[in-house]
Amino acid sequence: MKINNKQADALESNMTTEELGQAMNQLDLSSVPPHKRKSAVMDHLRRVMAQSILDKEKANEIHVSRLLRSKLH
């Protein structure tokens, strides 16, 4: 059995969990079709993550992956 320490894999952020909740709450899904809502939520989460992660290399990696995913859809 392999045990993963998810906290050790976490990236430092300048955002608290309350601020993350507020940022995610700003997403308006009223104009998003039901079958695309999961994708819209994940895209918004990636945007928030890229803006709040202190490791600029990882933040840029998330930003680029977000842009590439948006071109696929």
Side-chain angles (χ1 to χ4, degrees):
M1 177 192 313
K2 182 177 180 182
I3 299 173
N4 287 337
N5 181 354
K6 293 182 183 196
Q7 190 62 32
D9 295 336
L11 298 171
E12 287 191 49
S13 172
N14 61 2
M15 183 177 271
T16 65
T17 54
E18 290 81 17
E19 292 170 333
L20 174 62
Q22 291 171 357
M24 291 304 294
N25 197 32
Q26 291 176 355
L27 178 62
D28 180 18
L29 295 172
S30 63
S31 63
V32 179
H35 66 281
K36 291 190 174 187
R37 288 185 180 167
K38 179 180 177 182
S39 175
V41 169
M42 292 306 295
D43 181 62
H44 185 67
L45 176 61
R46 286 184 192 98
R47 181 182 311 123
V48 170
M49 286 173 47
Q51 292 172 352
S52 66
I53 290 177
L54 298 178
D55 182 344
K56 295 303 175 191
E57 184 177 320
K58 289 291 185 182
N60 190 43
E61 188 177 314
I62 293 169
H63 179 69
V64 169
S65 85
R66 186 178 150 263
L67 292 175
L68 290 174
R69 281 187 70 82
S70 70
K71 291 185 186 224
L72 292 174
H73 294 113

